Amino acid sequence: MVSPTNFLLHAFLWLALAATAFSLSPNFYHNVCPQALPAIKRVVEAAVHKERRMGASLLRLHFHDCFVNGCDGSLLLDSTSSFETEKNARGNLNSVRGFEVVDQIKAEVDRVCRRPVVSCADILAVAARDSVVALGGPTWKVRLGRRDSTTASRTLADSVLPSASMDLPALINNFKNQGLNKRDLVALSGGHTIGLSQCVIFRNRIYNATNIDPAFAKERRATCPRTGGNTNLAPFDPTPARFDTAYFKNLVKERGLLTSDQALFSGGSTDKLVETYSKNPDAFWVDFGNSMIRMGNIKPLTGKQGQIRVNCRKVN
């Protein structure tokens, strides 16, 4: 008869092995389809070369996917009779973009692999990294092996995606709910060193905030009137097509575009880190890569969970 101690030990070892078998790994596709990652890189580089803004858009897709029930590609699903697409959520509607590029990546990867072996969730994770690199930013080893969800939740997306109007305590809490800390919050917010935002998102700040550089507010008001012009675009920092530390340098000067940007440097517990990143690109790059890996580890579907979608926009 097996003793209770031995039984528990065996059970623990089995669970440890199971966890290892289904944990994400940078080498997941090495044997299955070694051409997969170079194929993703090719399509991303071409898309970013064609439109620099696309790099920020692809990075954002991964972020907005991971925050809603984990990095499972649910954001890519179109509405069905069973669920409403997350694309319609408050933080996504008329805002998230790049879905056509994801379709191109999926088609190319399935072509070189000769069958659908790479999940849409993994495509988002790799495309985010390749976008940052294409715009001059750091690289990191993307852990792979995620599988795709078979459902989506607009309601959950509405409640968990961080809002541009959040103050620091709300942001810290929002990230904490995802298992991410203050360093992750500041580093990942640094993704705003690339890309643009719509007038409707930052209008309130440039007309009503007190912690804003007056010259900067005036500059932004020129293309964002009090009424109308909702979709007019403005860069988060002066170099929106280059992954650098200008975003943090802006925050120190009270030139953050969104309320949630400036909240990171407003006399709170994250001020010191913002200052560090503004002066030390290497520190930012290392932390950004590490935080992207941590974010990419949020509740992935692995093993036999979920599926590998044939079309990223719909369940098989």
Side-chain angles (χ1 to χ4, degrees):
M1 184 178 164
V2 180
S3 75
T5 312
N6 270 348
F7 176 77
L8 284 171
L9 185 63
H10 280 108
F12 176 76
L13 284 171
W14 185 87
L15 283 169
L17 283 168
T20 307
F22 298 143
S23 63
L24 305 181
S25 159
N27 305 320
F28 189 83
Y29 296 109
H30 271 24
N31 297 324
V32 190
C33 181
Q35 308 93 330
L37 269 60
I40 296 173
K41 189 171 189 237
R42 278 197 307 275
V43 181
V44 169
E45 284 179 345
V48 173
H49 179 74
K50 185 178 171 187
E51 185 202 9
R52 306 292 279 173
R53 181 187 173 203
M54 188 54 69
S57 300
L58 292 172
L59 173 61
R60 191 159 177 254
L61 282 181
H62 180 45
F63 174 59
H64 280 222
D65 180 43
C66 289
F67 264 54
V68 185
N69 214 20
C71 311
D72 60 1
S74 59
L75 173 57
L76 303 174
L77 290 171
D78 288 334
S79 292
T80 68
S81 55
S82 314
F83 58 82
E84 185 181 358
T85 178
E86 290 169 19
K87 296 170 189 176
N88 290 346
R90 273 191 303 272
N92 291 332
L93 189 62
N94 300 322
S95 167
V96 284
R97 59 195 293 277
F99 299 107
E100 297 78 13
V101 176
V102 175
D103 293 339
Q104 288 167 23
I105 295 169
K106 177 66 173 160
E108 180 59 13
V109 168
D110 287 359
R111 186 186 71 78
V112 300
C113 296
R114 298 184 176 180
R115 64 196 195 286
V117 290
V118 181
S119 67
C120 301
D122 274 349
I123 284 173
L124 289 182
V126 177
R129 188 269 314 273
D130 291 348
S131 293
V132 167
V133 172
L135 293 173
T139 189
W140 59 92
K141 282 194 187 312
V142 179
R143 294 178 187 173
L144 301 163
R146 297 169 193 80
R147 287 168 67 84
D148 298 321
S149 69
T150 53
T151 188
S153 174
R154 180 209 163 153
T155 314
L156 185 63
D158 274 334
S159 67
V160 300
L161 286 174
S163 140
S165 60
M166 281 183 172
D167 61 10
L168 186 59
L171 287 166
I172 290 170
N173 192 51
N174 181 276
F175 274 62
K176 187 181 174 186
N177 289 339
Q178 301 288 353
L180 300 172
N181 60 30
K182 279 193 269 194
R183 187 172 291 269
D184 297 318
L185 163 63
V186 180
L188 292 171
S189 295
H192 281 178
T193 184
I194 52 176
L196 312 165
S197 182
Q198 296 182 29
C199 165
V200 67
I201 308 292
F202 60 83
R203 177 183 283 124
N204 184 53
R205 171 159 163 76
I206 62 171
Y207 284 101
N208 300 315
T210 50
N211 61 340
I212 190 166
D213 171 49
F216 174 70
K218 187 181 177 186
E219 190 185 325
R220 289 283 75 94
R221 287 171 190 163
T223 54
C224 182
R226 279 187 187 274
T227 52
N230 281 357
T231 57
N232 291 358
L233 297 169
F236 284 107
D237 75 16
T239 54
R242 193 164 70 236
F243 198 96
D244 54 22
T245 57
Y247 169 79
F248 296 108
K249 288 175 177 155
N250 256 19
L251 297 187
V252 173
K253 297 174 192 164
E254 294 196 321
R255 294 169 76 92
L257 186 62
L258 310 183
T259 300
S260 56
D261 290 326
Q262 196 58 56
L264 303 177
F265 191 84
S266 55
S269 57
T270 52
D271 280 19
K272 205 164 189 175
L273 197 51
V274 168
E275 277 191 47
T276 300
Y277 291 159
S278 74
K279 295 170 186 167
N280 188 338
D282 291 342
F284 169 47
W285 280 33
V286 168
D287 284 358
F288 185 80
N290 289 336
S291 292
M292 285 296 291
I293 291 169
R294 281 164 60 85
M295 184 181 79
N297 280 344
I298 298 174
K299 289 167 66 178
L301 299 173
T302 58
K304 291 201 162 80
Q305 299 171 311
Q307 60 182 215
I308 305 294
R309 278 184 225 141
V310 176
N311 177 341
C312 289
R313 293 173 185 258
K314 57 186 189 184
V315 175
N316 295 347

